[in-house]
């Protein structure tokens, strides 16, 4: 049993007084920099979502159809190999593009390469819930998608890679995405619609009418000022 200790001094003198600690003046925090340091390289943008966000609801729309004879986006520009869509146009979701890019990176892990993307998911898709009656608005935002035209280049690869390895990586990525795709190299001819501009086929021949009408049928279409 511990012995009891009695204090003959007054109670006020028996209380423990903590030593006074000088208060430290708070260090003023520097404001965060709201500007980016100078660099000649532009900031990397997210190709799976637009910068503007989904403030305004976009229409469903249709993929671009090059009716005027355009071959833009059908050839490899930056890389050495590319993956091109060869069936009809589609609306591909950003999730499918992300899975395809991750499949390529997983197949080429440990190799020196650079992956280029030629599409951007900038179309918002809005859906309504199940068993919802018609009307009452367009619905809520669901995911981002992209309208991919026919014969459009999706991915490009550049680096010290063997062609068979690149083919295998693109094959695995194409199996993960909707649609049919083909492997192309840099320097391959462009495509107008689904027709490749090669083997004597020129852009001028593609823009001409397929049926050459005789002169009598062509002249009969002109408006006559006097009756025949």
């Amino acid at each position: 049993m511990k012995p009891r200790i009695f204090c003959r001094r007054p109670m006020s003198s028996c209380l423990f007084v903590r030593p006074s600690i000088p208060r430290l003046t708070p260090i003023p925090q520097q404001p965060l920099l709201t500007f980016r340091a100078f660099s000649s390289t532009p900031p990397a943008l997210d190709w799976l979502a637009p910068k503007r966000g989904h403030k305004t609801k976009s229409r469903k729309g249709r993929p671009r159809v090059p009716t005027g004879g355009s071959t833009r986006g059908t050839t490899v520009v930056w890389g050495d190999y590319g993956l091109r869509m060869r069936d009809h146009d589609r609306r591909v979701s950003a999730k499918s593009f992300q899975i395809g890019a991750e499949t390529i990176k997983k197949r080429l892990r440990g190799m020196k390469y650079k992956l280029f993307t030629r599409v951007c998911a900038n179309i918002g898709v809005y859906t309504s819930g199940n068993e919802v009656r018609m009307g009452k608005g367009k619905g809520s935002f669901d995911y981002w998608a992209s309208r991919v035209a026919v014969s459009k280049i999706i991915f490009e690869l550049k680096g010290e890679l063997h062609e068979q390895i690149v083919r295998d990586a693109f094959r695995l990525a194409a199996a993960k995405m909707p649609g049919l795709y083909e492997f192309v190299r840099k320097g391959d001819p462009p495509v107008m619609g689904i027709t490749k501009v090669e083997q004597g086929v020129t852009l001028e021949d593609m823009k001409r009418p397929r049926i050459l009408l005789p002169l009598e049928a062509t002249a009969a279409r002109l408006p006559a000022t006097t009756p025949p």
Side-chain angles (χ1 to χ4, degrees), residues 143-164:
Y143 59 91
W144 292 108
S146 175
R147 302 190 187 112
V148 183
V150 61
S151 303
K152 173 73 175 179
I153 297 290
I154 307 296
F155 296 116
E156 292 187 13
L157 270 175
K158 183 178 182 180
E160 299 178 358
L161 302 173
H162 196 274
E163 181 178 338
Q164 294 298 330

Side-chain angles (χ1 to χ4, degrees), residues 208-228:
R208 292 175 183 173
R210 295 186 178 182
I211 302 177
L212 299 178
L213 300 177
L215 182 60
E216 294 79 6
T218 307
R221 296 181 180 179
L222 299 177
T225 57
T226 57

Side-chain angles (χ1 to χ4, degrees), residues 23-31:
R23 294 185 177 181
L24 300 178
T25 57
I27 301 176
Q29 296 181 357
Q30 297 181 358

Side-chain angles (χ1 to χ4, degrees), residues 51-73:
K51 185 178 179 181
R52 58 177 172 81
H54 51 87
K55 297 180 180 179
T56 57
K57 295 184 179 181
S58 56
R59 307 299 180 184
K60 183 177 181 180
R62 294 293 183 272
R64 180 183 62 88
V65 179
T67 57
S70 175
T71 59
R72 184 183 62 179

Side-chain angles (χ1 to χ4, degrees), residues 78-180:
W78 301 312
D80 300 328
Y81 308 100
L83 183 66
R84 181 168 61 190
M85 178 175 287
R86 67 182 179 88
D87 63 342
H88 60 84
D89 43 46
R90 293 176 180 273
R91 188 177 69 178
V92 187
S93 63
K95 187 67 175 178
S96 299
F97 286 140
Q98 182 181 6
I99 293 175
E102 290 177 355
T103 304
I104 295 176
K105 294 177 181 179
K106 185 177 180 180
R107 177 61 181 84
L108 304 179
R109 183 179 299 173
M111 304 180 186
K112 296 182 179 180
Y113 68 94
K114 190 171 184 180
L115 180 64
F116 300 93
T117 56
R118 298 286 299 274
V119 292
C120 177
N122 56 356
I123 304 299
V125 179
Y126 301 83
T127 57
S128 300
N130 297 332
E131 300 181 1
V132 176
R133 294 179 180 270
M134 297 179 63
K136 296 185 180 180
K138 190 177 179 65
S140 59
F141 175 79
D142 193 6
Y143 59 91
W144 292 108
S146 175
R147 302 190 187 112
V148 183
V150 61
S151 303
K152 173 73 175 179
I153 297 290
I154 307 296
F155 296 116
E156 292 187 13
L157 270 175
K158 183 178 182 180
E160 299 178 358
L161 302 173
H162 196 274
E163 181 178 338
Q164 294 298 330
I165 298 177
V166 180
R167 282 179 177 270
D168 188 37
F170 282 158
R171 178 186 61 83
L172 296 175
K176 300 286 186 178
M177 298 187 299
L180 301 178

